[in-house]
Amino acid sequence: MGKVDFRSDRSKPTRATFERDYPSTSQEWNEYEARHRQDMSSFPVKPGETFAEDGFYRYVIHSQRSRFVFSGRKGEVARSYTNIVNEKGEPMDGSPHWIWEADRAVEDHCSVNDPCPRDGRWTWASNYSFRDYMGNNNRFFERRFVAGELMPELELNGTLSHYLWTWIGV
């Protein structure tokens, strides 16, 4: 119903109102995001315009989609980039726009041995610096995970790595 009473002192109840109804299971999240992604596809954000809501956005040029999603905040001005690659790792060129991809309430990154926060395609990154998201990385690795699944270590060049996992889409 959107309201909860918290009581540590029964004589002084504290009321909190939740302004948003969040899905409670990973299936409900997937269904919610799929519907919202469809609804938001009619409202692309061009560089210089502001994002209408918080979310993870994908950079799109013509039919090419960026390999990674980027965090956008409501009211933030969308930027244009020159060194973003498509899902095949090829440079993108042309007139870009941003498309809402997912809700920011569910994380887009995860450490090794932690439960996967969301269903979809994941890759690893050595850290969360912006350079990891840009340009073609010939070590690119993609794997599909289900929410709750433990994120594994990767064996690279014969040694186990403790890289972080980054969500790249559904």
Side-chain angles (χ1 to χ4, degrees), residues 110-117 122-125 141-146 148-156 159-166:
C110 188
S111 297
V112 168
N113 295 322
D114 284 347
C116 179
W122 291 75
T123 190
W124 56 273
F141 175 85
E142 180 181 318
R143 183 165 166 194
R144 187 167 289 282
F145 292 102
V146 175
E149 187 175 349
L150 291 182
M151 302 304 271
E153 293 179 308
L154 288 176
E155 187 172 327
L156 303 169
T159 60
L160 287 177
S161 70
H162 297 280
Y163 288 97
L164 302 169
W165 289 93
T166 300

Side-chain angles (χ1 to χ4, degrees), residues 5-15:
D5 286 331
F6 295 96
R7 293 184 182 169
S8 60
D9 177 355
R10 294 214 181 266
S11 66
K12 301 175 191 170
T14 302
R15 179 160 283 198

Side-chain angles (χ1 to χ4, degrees), residues 58-66 92 95-99:
R58 189 169 304 278
Y59 201 71
V60 178
I61 298 177
H62 306 297
S63 62
Q64 294 185 83
R65 297 163 29 99
S66 63
M92 296 174 67
S95 180
H97 60 273
W98 295 92
I99 298 290

Side-chain angles (χ1 to χ4, degrees), residues 4-42:
V4 177
D5 286 331
F6 295 96
R7 293 184 182 169
S8 60
D9 177 355
R10 294 214 181 266
S11 66
K12 301 175 191 170
T14 302
R15 179 160 283 198
T17 301
F18 295 92
E19 296 180 18
R20 192 167 166 186
D21 184 24
Y22 286 99
S24 59
T25 67
S26 63
Q27 172 143 355
E28 287 177 358
W29 270 107
N30 293 341
E31 291 167 1
Y32 158 73
E33 287 184 336
R35 280 191 313 272
H36 200 60
R37 199 171 13 265
Q38 179 65 35
D39 293 344
M40 294 294 286
S41 68
S42 300

Side-chain angles (χ1 to χ4, degrees), residues 65-84:
R65 297 163 29 99
S66 63
R67 177 178 274 178
F68 298 97
V69 294
F70 299 82
S71 178
R73 296 238 181 234
K74 180 179 181 175
E76 179 183 5
V77 175
R79 297 176 53 192
S80 180
Y81 296 98
T82 58
N83 55 346
I84 291 183

